[in-house]
Amino acid sequence: MTGTVRLTVSQAVVRFLAVQWSERDGRRQKLFAGCFGIFGHGNVAGLGQALLQDELADDHPDRLPYVLARNEQAMVHTAVAYARQKDRLQTWVCTASVGPGSTNMLTGAALATINRLPVLLLPSGTFATRVAGPVLQELEAPYAADVTVNDAFRPLSRFFDRVNRPEQLPSALLGAMRVLTDPVETGAVTIVLPQDVQAEAFDWPVELFAPRVWRVGRPLPEAADIAEAAALISAARRPFVVAGGGVHYSGAEKALRAFCEATGIPVGESQAGKGALPHGHPQAMGAVGSTGTTAANALAREADLVIGIGTRYSDFTTASRTAFQDPGVRFVNVNVARFDAGKLAGLSVVADAREALTALTQALDGHQVDPAYRERQAGLWREWDAKVEAAYNPPPEVTGALADGVLTQGTVLGRVNELSDPADVVVCAAGSMPGDLHKLWRVRDRKAYHVEYGYSCMGYEIPGGLGVRLADPDRDVFVMVGDGSYLMMPTELVTAVQERIKIIVVLVQNHGFHSIGSLSEELGSQRFGTSYRFRDAATGRLAGDRLPVDLAASARSFGATVIEVRDRQELEQAIKDAKAAPADGGPVVIHVETDPLVHAPDSASWWDVPVSQVSELGTTRRAYERYTTHKAAQRPHVAPTPRDPEGPLR
């Protein structure tokens, strides 16, 4: 294959991206499922023209399908959710126009990078030639003529480049592919394309457009690391596994199950790792940390060895470093990224999670925890499971105190959980529901739980649900979203209508910010500024009547099918009707009102949010006293984990 082909930069980008493939374990898939975009003067004549030409062409089989989005931030969320559902082996491209169109993608870029999920962003730039500057939406920086708003993507991207000349494009594209397909480096990848460069023609070597396969490898663990980790596990009396998202991305669920069944070691799960073991497995203790179960948190508190598998140990997972309280606790960290494997001064096992778990199971052949430890796991879990039942089916003293037709959030989650199919996916991101889902949701399938809690971004839910359904069209997707998060970004319901994509949105109306209201009260700030109310004329405060916002009418206006429910029986029927709706019928929204003052069972854990050290408010002073008590339990976890197999563990 020799010679050249004359194309614009944008046409070259589209043709190149359409023939990129990823491969793992011998299975290949297109790296890019398509391109989300919103056109403006910065990309309509460049990438817009190239995508149109690609759609109309009949001389090549490879396509990069285009989907019109409604919000640039939302389209990045959709791409990221798709990538997560595909275990980071496939994603989407996102194109936006200059100025606000491109900077609207910044939040999505941060979310992708924090969650280690691949997405390719193509923000448009103002003229590289500067012949007509300053142009519409251009930032002028007096101190540096080459600075643009797109430089804001630099700290948010795992790879960043700006193509000011066509000759720079091949190296930019190849560098982007390298990072997108590297499980250690992956995240948001940004290639800035100035609007004039997008339309510029160039003679490209035809070899640039040959299909490429990017192999996603499985790094094997060092034998010495496995031997040392196995020795530490064998010496531990109360070992405890923290399963993170790396278990899912590696497809290591079966390997984790084999490891736990062979050894009897219990498992707590981070938000990203939830579902690493199915509900009901004897070693599955559910969520761990600030939004964890009392079972997992009790075992974490007592553990003398914590085995982290594919976790980055966020503050919610470690309960702000108060979860692990044994004086001699040590850590063994299995992670494909050395950066995460070295956290909490742990023994680093830098490797693919599946391969490392398989090697550890072999190295520990015949080793099991004490039977009394297994019995303790079972007892703790029975106690917690009873609390979940009470949250799903509140007793009369709770339901009798509720206003007519109002349900508890626990009841809503319980009915969705129990009436959905095991393979159906629940999607959530921000507010009180992620914590409740982490504690209460009974996961029955490895890909059935999708809560974005690395960035916990309000507005992620509906576009995220769209991405999950695009990635896995044979599963129903239940998007759990509160009114606060819904109002941030409901517009991708229009995209779901446009593409006839069925997602089931359970829209929970509690007239404000449930999660932050509860946090505000806990911190002594009296739920200030967290309710949707009129300003009271007498006091000047937002303490008047509730706002007459009709969210059901809002969703209906977008073209969605809306079912309004007023009690438990109607909710159950709505879930069944939504499940029975046609797959190509577009989104179904179930609107239900809940009481924000009825909470899920307590996790017996903590999250570090600073409280004002001085205050005229008694509520704040009392909150600060509680804060200092919890703060005293924080631990630095800097003591080195012994590498000597005979090293002491207490």
Side-chain angles (χ1 to χ4, degrees), residues 302-319:
E302 301 164 3
D304 56 0
L305 182 71
V306 177
I307 308 161
I309 311 290
T311 177
R312 64 190 187 96
Y313 286 118
S314 76
D315 63 341
F316 262 74
T317 301
T318 69

Side-chain angles (χ1 to χ4, degrees), residues 310-344:
T311 177
R312 64 190 187 96
Y313 286 118
S314 76
D315 63 341
F316 262 74
T317 301
T318 69
S320 299
R321 300 203 179 190
T322 63
F324 313 116
Q325 286 295 318
D326 184 272
V329 66
R330 295 292 183 265
F331 298 85
V332 170
N333 300 328
V334 175
N335 205 295
V336 71
R338 189 172 297 277
F339 175 78
D340 292 314
K343 290 179 177 176
L344 304 182

Side-chain angles (χ1 to χ4, degrees), residues 88 92 129 247 324 464 553 560 622:
R88 305 194 294 199
W92 284 68
T129 59
V247 174
F324 313 116
R622 289 188 291 273

Side-chain angles (χ1 to χ4, degrees), residues 27 30 96 109 145 159 182 218 228-229 247 266 284 326 341 366 383 391 460 516 546-547 559 564 604 620:
R27 180 180 177 183
K30 281 287 190 74
F159 178 88
D182 185 339
R218 292 187 178 276
E228 291 178 349
V247 174
D326 184 272
E383 293 175 7
Y460 174 91
I516 298 303
R546 286 178 171 175
L547 299 180
E564 297 182 68
T620 305

Side-chain angles (χ1 to χ4, degrees), residues 315 319-323 325 522 605-611 613 623-636:
D315 63 341
S320 299
R321 300 203 179 190
T322 63
Q325 286 295 318
E522 181 184 337
S605 191
W606 183 62
W607 183 39
D608 189 349
V609 179
V611 180
Q613 294 184 1
Y624 184 68
E625 291 175 4
R626 294 192 299 270
Y627 178 76
T628 56
T629 300
H630 286 295
K631 194 76 173 172
Q634 265 184 331
R635 302 187 59 190

Side-chain angles (χ1 to χ4, degrees), residues 353-376:
R354 191 188 74 179
E355 298 303 316
L357 281 166
T358 300
L360 281 172
T361 304
Q362 294 172 350
L364 291 165
D365 185 30
H367 173 74
Q368 294 188 0
V369 300
D370 189 279
Y373 192 43
R374 288 180 184 261
E375 292 173 9
R376 176 151 175 74

